[in-house]
Amino acid sequence: MKSACLAATAAILSGAVTIAHGQELIVNSYGGPYEQIIQDAIIKPFEEQFGVSVVYDAVGSSQQDYAKIKATNGRPGFDVVVMTASQSLEGCREGLLEPLSVEIVPNLVHLNAAISAVAGECGAVHELQYLALLYRTDMLEQAPVSWTDLFDERLDKRIVLPTFANIMAAFLTQLMSSVHGGDIDNNIDPGFEAMTRLAAQSIGFEQASAILESYIQDGRVWAMPFWDGRAQLLVDSGAPVDYVLPQEGSIPLIATLNVPVGADNKDLALKFVDFFLEKTSQERWVEGYKVGSARTDIEVSEEARARKITTQADLDALLLPDLTSLAANLSSWGQRWEREVVPAAR
């Protein structure tokens, strides 16, 4: 694999790799609003610039996509896949994802080094979302400012929580641990104690983001943790909601572009990854999908600048987890969640 990677690098540096018109690239990612936005902001401009065709494969979650990569030993039938940094790290360790470098993906040099380090050498970080505090503007006179505002007695039975199968639950537990005297990687006990108390105020748990957001849309819930990108889409829809980045900070959901080692069209896949990381591409993506970027030289609207992760100061304020440690702890933390947190909501 190493020799193949060196050969590909040498070919690119020598100018030997060319993109033939009429080539076809298969990109696997999400459906729903995401699909139309990526088509308009990234795929169509890429097709026009390189004279190629992109087949969009909107099948499966990140976990399902990685399971397919693993089951096929790195030959899943798609050339580029959108996953999270956790799957990127796992796939890299298992030799199923292509290592990326500035020699073959030049725009990697423009990404924040600390964020790239969290994702590992096989993941190109193309977006950041942070865990925000979403709330009903018509039910709460004052906007919440802290994660501890979720414990306000006015929110008793007006909160819904993610199940532990949703990574939001682990992130929220880590944040609560940090807020209550622990930390996000090692001393997690304060987080579980806080989540147990919060569960007693909740109406229960849901796994899917689409179902979680339905609770706040119809007014059953007045506040809840939610990704800032999806929260912004709710705000833009006209729903009586808003969201904040609490004063104690937040943990980012780091999304990556990955290339399976057995991709049929690897050269074009690397071109696509690099194109997605271009300055103008990142600007279109931040404005279109309402997310943040690990590239701090982008020029975006004042609204995006105020609410999204787009500057070095924004990046420095994030709490960055050790995702390898998190992956090792998830099973035991999940069991503890079922023992301590879930029963408290009954």
Side-chain angles (χ1 to χ4, degrees), residues 35-46 275-276 280-289:
E35 180 173 356
Q36 189 57 56
I37 296 169
I38 195 175
Q39 288 281 3
D40 293 340
I42 306 297
I43 291 176
K44 290 176 183 177
F46 178 77
F275 181 84
F276 209 138
T280 54
S281 297
Q282 284 289 285
E283 290 165 351
R284 289 194 302 270
W285 191 242
V286 167
E287 297 283 7
Y289 195 48

Side-chain angles (χ1 to χ4, degrees), residues 150-151 156-157 159 161 169 172-173 176-177 180 188-205 333 335-346:
L150 283 171
F151 295 93
D156 188 35
K157 301 307 178 186
I159 297 169
L161 296 173
L172 186 59
T173 303
M176 287 298 182
S177 184
H180 290 89
I188 202 73
D189 290 345
F192 274 98
E193 292 165 4
M195 289 307 303
T196 300
R197 289 190 288 114
L198 190 59
Q201 289 186 232
S202 77
I203 62 173
F205 307 86
W333 286 5
Q335 293 170 15
R336 184 173 179 181
W337 178 279
E338 294 299 320
R339 288 196 313 268
E340 300 176 16
V341 181
V342 173
R346 294 172 183 164

Side-chain angles (χ1 to χ4, degrees), residues 39-120:
Q39 288 281 3
D40 293 340
I42 306 297
I43 291 176
K44 290 176 183 177
F46 178 77
E47 290 177 323
E48 292 170 3
Q49 180 169 328
F50 290 95
V52 298
S53 175
V54 174
V55 175
Y56 192 77
D57 177 24
V59 176
S61 64
S62 294
Q63 294 91 338
Q64 291 167 334
D65 295 335
Y66 182 66
K68 187 173 183 180
I69 292 171
K70 193 169 184 176
T72 60
N73 198 30
R75 304 178 189 278
F78 44 76
D79 303 299
V80 180
V81 58
V82 175
M83 296 192 295
T84 70
S86 295
Q87 285 97 32
S88 182
L89 287 169
E90 184 177 353
C92 222
R93 285 195 302 269
E94 297 186 344
L96 299 174
L97 298 176
E98 191 74 15
L100 306 176
S101 67
V102 294
E103 287 76 23
I104 55 178
V105 182
N107 276 301
L108 285 172
V109 75
H110 298 293
L111 303 185
N112 176 268
I115 296 293
S116 291
V118 173

